[in-house]
Amino acid sequence: MAHYWGVHAVRVTAWKPGVVRVVASATDPLKAPQIPKQRGAGRLLRVVVGALETGAQWVIDLREVPHWLIVGATRSGKSTLINALVAGLARQPVALVGIDCKGGMELSLYGPRLSALATSRAQTVKLLGALVDLTLDRMTVCRAARVRNVWGLPEDERPVPIVVIVDELAELFLVASRHEKEEAQAASTALIRLAQLGAALGVFLVVAGQRVGSDLGPGVTALRAQLAGRVCHRVADPGTAEMALGDLNPDALHAAQSITPEQAGTAVLASADGWDRARSHLVSEAEAERIAAESAHLTPYVPELVTAGGGTSAGDVPSVRLERLDGDENE
Ligand SMILES: Nc1ncnc2c1ncn2[C@@H]1O[C@H](COP(=O)(O)OP(=O)(O)O)[C@@H](O)[C@H]1O
Ligand SMILES: [Mg+2]
């Protein structure tokens, strides 16, 4: 006689040719994933951001998968996931750079811990340009030292890792005028370049948006192809889930499309290894703001990105820090 007790979910996936993976969970680990007690800064560029449906930790490790695309409708959990990621990275020797064309509404929370923040398309173009230059400089350094990536450099010569966080990609790419279109194109070209070169040179991208369709311009499709880590929250249309999860398992698509508004923070993750359901830790804005302020002293000074007069104190207005990037040309 069969006993049907306490099985929350059973999932069968064709894991690799000839192997089927059966996952049965007794309870729903995604109901309210417990935030583990903070034990030090953890391994560089690796953060536990939530729980997987299997009960395992949901880890984002930028050294394993350097660039990420996070999609989801409004209030689906994108910012909360970024909060969880930043909360972890903030405690590590890592430079955080924000690009937030909704006027900095989201990312300015982390202000004291950011090495640079761009809040308009024009600032973004300059900041991304500076990042591309910095990346190319790092490439020259690596070539001279005959190493393939920054990790091959001696520790005391290794440049600080930089994580570039873009919130609401559409704000960057949705344009009206011709001038705006040129800016958007410049931004997308620079992002693609950073994605291509960055991983080896210690520059990582985390790009979030509600939509990532080709209506945002041809650059978006090329950029998407460079972002190998995918997180799909609840989406407003099936097309966005398809864009985010690509040609992966149809089950992954179905799982993404089944996320309800009540399950904010729940997402389907996909990478070359397969897919999983997961839920981020609920790290609130207040919490993220507190952690950013507490770890402000760890903010690396990246002279290429910041004006000499910009300083790094908590009270800084982000636009002041972008003086050098802003200062030239005709604005
Ligand atoms: N992992 C989570 N666990 C529980 N609630 C969450 C989670 N993520 C998001 N939420 C809830 O959903 C709300 C909206 O999430 P948010 O991250 O701001 O969405 P988005 O940035 O996609 O608009 C949050 O204020 C929170 O109440
Ligand atoms: Mg948000």
Side-chain angles (χ1 to χ4, degrees):
M1 201 207 292
H3 293 271
Y4 301 97
W5 76 99
V7 175
H8 160 70
V10 177
R11 205 172 78 204
V12 183
T13 42
W15 191 36
K16 34 176 130 162
V19 181
V20 169
R21 184 168 74 164
V22 180
V23 178
S25 29
T27 57
D28 185 358
L30 304 187
K31 212 155 188 185
Q34 293 298 306
I35 302 182
K37 283 240 159 56
Q38 181 67 34
R39 285 163 308 206
R43 186 141 59 79
L44 186 65
L45 295 166
R46 179 185 189 277
V47 177
V48 179
V49 294
L52 302 183
E53 192 171 35
T54 59
Q57 292 180 328
W58 174 9
V59 173
I60 290 186
D61 187 337
L62 298 176
R63 287 199 59 183
E64 268 175 29
V65 182
H67 309 306
W68 286 81
L69 177 64
I70 299 169
V71 303
T74 306
R75 298 195 61 74
S76 64
K78 301 181 296 296
S79 295
T80 305
L81 172 59
I82 293 175
N83 287 347
L85 182 64
V86 169
L89 292 174
R91 298 177 168 106
Q92 302 181 4
V94 169
L96 301 171
V97 170
I99 292 176
D100 181 355
C101 291
K102 269 201 285 191
M105 300 218 309
E106 306 271 345
L107 300 185
S108 56
L109 280 181
Y110 317 130
R113 183 60 184 80
L114 295 178
S115 295
L117 172 65
T119 58
S120 70
R121 202 179 288 117
Q123 285 183 348
T124 299
V125 171
K126 284 170 184 157
L127 180 53
L128 288 174
L131 281 162
V132 170
D133 289 348
L134 167 154
T135 307
L136 292 172
D137 287 347
R138 289 183 175 192
M139 186 184 270
T140 309
V141 170
C142 286
R143 280 218 182 104
R146 296 176 180 280
V147 294
R148 289 150 63 94
N149 56 45
V150 288
W151 312 109
L153 294 168
E155 214 176 319
D156 56 338
E157 289 169 31
R158 199 176 297 154
V160 66
I162 300 177
V163 181
V164 182
I165 299 163
V166 183
D167 201 358
E168 202 41 81
L169 190 67
E171 293 286 330
L172 195 54
F173 288 141
L174 273 183
V175 292
S177 72
R178 205 181 134 184
H179 172 66
E180 286 177 340
K181 196 169 168 185
E182 277 162 17
E183 281 182 338
Q185 247 154 28
S188 94
T189 306
L191 279 171
I192 293 165
R193 197 105 172 89
L194 283 180
Q196 286 167 336
L197 301 174
L201 300 163
V203 179
F204 306 92
L205 297 183
V206 177
V207 177
Q210 290 184 42
R211 298 181 305 116
V212 283
S214 48
D215 56 313
L216 300 182
V220 173
T221 309
L223 176 61
R224 199 158 42 92
Q226 294 291 330
L227 308 174
R230 306 289 176 84
V231 179
C232 182
H233 293 94
R234 177 179 56 82
V235 288
D237 59 300
T240 302
E242 270 162 49
M243 295 284 180
L245 301 171
D247 44 7
L248 291 157
N249 197 314
D251 290 347
L253 272 182
H254 179 73
Q257 283 156 3
S258 314
I259 301 169
T260 64
E262 292 70 43
Q263 296 168 304
T266 301
V268 171
L269 326 178
S271 69
D273 299 337
W275 67 279
D276 260 305
R277 275 181 90 235
R279 192 173 199 179
S280 60
H281 294 138
L282 180 53
V283 178
S284 66
E285 291 178 1
E287 182 91 12
E289 198 165 13
R290 182 182 62 77
I291 292 167
E294 275 174 15
S295 54
H297 64 286
L298 295 174
T299 308
Y301 176 64
V302 186
E304 294 90 335
L305 305 182
V306 182
T307 164
T312 50
S313 73
D316 257 3
V317 183
S319 58
V320 174
R321 293 200 204 170
L322 284 162
E323 225 161 62
R324 189 184 70 90
L325 297 168
D326 265 353
D328 45 13
E329 287 180 355
N330 45 349
E331 275 195 315

